[in-house]
Amino acid sequence: EDFFENDRGQLVCDNPPFGLKKKIILKLVERNKQFMLIVPISTIAYNYAKVLKNHLQLLIFKSRPKYMKCDTKTGKINFNDKKQPAFDSCVICWKMNLKNDINFI
């Protein structure tokens, strides 16, 4: 189902397509929806991320994670083919009320 057309659930936990992350973050804040998104750590430096300032918390990986890729044609994931990206990632959390604002995982 189309994320932008539907608003279900109380919490969004996702690894959004990087090309849509700005639009997704702004839509989630507009909906006042709690979320946890895996994004490049540089995301928090962009101007659009300033909308998160009052409720932003971070989960920072102790090492650079590897990601499995989903085949967009078949929808299948190859669990043996993990790729390490050229950038560091973090989980931006909004309105999650975690014990600490910055957490190393």
Side-chain angles (χ1 to χ4, degrees), residues 40-54:
I41 200 162
S42 61
T43 302
I44 63 175
Y46 290 108
N47 279 333
Y48 67 84
K50 291 178 182 172
V51 299
L52 307 173
K53 65 183 174 187
N54 293 328

Side-chain angles (χ1 to χ4, degrees), residues 36-37 39-41 43-45 52 55-61 89-94 96 98 100-105:
M36 300 174 78
L37 300 176
V39 296
I41 200 162
T43 302
I44 63 175
L52 307 173
H55 304 284
L56 177 65
Q57 295 181 305
L58 298 173
L59 302 179
I60 299 174
F61 299 108
S89 303
C90 70
V91 180
I92 56 173
C93 305
W94 194 68
M96 293 300 299
L98 302 174
N100 299 307
D101 289 339
I102 299 176
N103 303 275
F104 293 90
I105 57 172

Side-chain angles (χ1 to χ4, degrees), residues 61-77:
F61 299 108
K62 290 180 182 174
S63 62
R64 189 173 287 177
K66 293 180 180 179
Y67 297 98
M68 294 171 282
K69 205 163 194 187
C70 180
D71 185 315
T72 55
K73 293 178 183 175
T74 64
K76 294 184 179 182
I77 297 173

